[in-house]
């Protein structure tokens, strides 16, 4: 089973909520409120890691999305290329963060998902408020996973 993941509204746009959605046989989305992103950004700055804010927050939201979604198993995950050239870094972050929840690791690919995919539609509609987020991510959940030790 292949799962597609897409983001609507970039993490670095801290004035608006970000939605990260997935699709396969189900549609599921998590929402990161703008206030949570702003608080996380301040925390990363305080710890002297401002450049890691975007990538680590994005990958933490992907891992939490997979954790919360009612999936039987996740053998293959396709993540939309949101940050070109950063795939290797994101890949290692994914495995570091996912290991907190599971020893079973899916095959992860980074490639364009496209505007016609279910993942794009669910994330876009959630970000626009046309669809209710399945889970609203909190500062505590994201900070625990995203902030490097």
């Amino acid at each position: 089973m292949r799962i597609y993941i897409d983001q609507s509204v970039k993490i670095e746009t801290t004035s608006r909520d970000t939605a990260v959605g997935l699709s396969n046989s189900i549609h599921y989305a998590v929402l990161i409120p703008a206030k949570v992103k702003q608080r996380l950004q301040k925390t990363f700055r305080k710890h002297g890691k401002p450049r890691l804010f975007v990538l680590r927050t994005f990958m933490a939201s992907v891992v939490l999305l997979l954790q919360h979604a009612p999936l039987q198993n996740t053998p293959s995950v396709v993540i939309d290329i949101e940050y070109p050239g950063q795939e290797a870094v994101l890949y290692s972050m994914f495995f570091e963060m996912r290991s907190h929840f599971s020893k079973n690791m899916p095959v992860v690919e980074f490639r364009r998902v496209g505007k016609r995919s279910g993942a794009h539609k669910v994330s876009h509609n959630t970000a626009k408020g046309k669809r209710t987020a399945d889970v609203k991510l909190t500062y505590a959940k994201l900070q625990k996973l995203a902030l490097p030790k």
Side-chain angles (χ1 to χ4, degrees):
M1 175 189 304
R2 184 169 284 159
I3 295 165
Y4 294 89
I5 296 176
D6 194 17
Q7 169 184 255
S8 188
V9 181
K10 297 264 189 185
I11 299 291
E12 56 268 33
T13 306
T14 57
S15 61
R16 294 180 51 208
D17 297 349
T18 294
V20 181
L22 68 76
S23 75
N24 63 357
S25 58
I26 65 161
H27 296 293
Y28 202 86
V30 296
L31 188 76
I32 308 171
K35 296 272 185 205
V36 170
K37 293 193 298 183
Q38 292 164 7
R39 190 170 168 201
L40 273 170
Q41 187 176 40
K42 283 181 187 175
T43 303
F44 272 87
R45 285 178 180 157
K46 189 174 112 182
H47 283 86
K49 309 278 187 194
R51 293 176 185 227
L52 290 177
F53 161 67
V54 172
L55 298 179
R56 290 196 65 88
T57 302
F58 171 65
M59 201 45 60
S61 67
V62 168
V63 169
L64 289 169
L65 171 67
L66 290 170
Q67 186 63 25
H68 286 288
L71 300 168
Q72 300 301 319
N73 56 19
T74 53
S76 178
V77 176
V78 177
I79 302 171
D80 189 44
I81 298 173
E82 301 289 347
Y83 302 100
Q86 299 297 320
E87 292 83 3
V89 173
L90 290 169
Y91 188 81
S92 67
M93 287 177 186
F94 175 85
F95 287 102
E96 170 215 328
M97 293 177 193
R98 177 74 180 185
S99 68
H100 291 271
F101 300 108
S102 176
K103 291 183 181 176
N104 297 332
M105 294 293 170
V107 173
V108 176
E109 294 178 62
F110 289 92
R111 66 173 194 232
R112 293 279 175 218
V113 170
K115 295 198 183 298
R116 292 185 182 179
S117 79
H120 174 77
K121 290 174 185 169
V122 73
S123 63
H124 180 75
N125 288 338
T126 302
K128 291 288 184 188
K130 295 178 184 176
R131 179 187 186 281
T132 305
D134 296 289
V135 174
K136 202 178 261 192
L137 297 178
T138 63
Y139 170 81
K141 274 190 176 182
L142 284 164
Q143 183 265 341
K144 183 178 178 182
L145 201 56
L147 207 63
K149 305 297 182 241

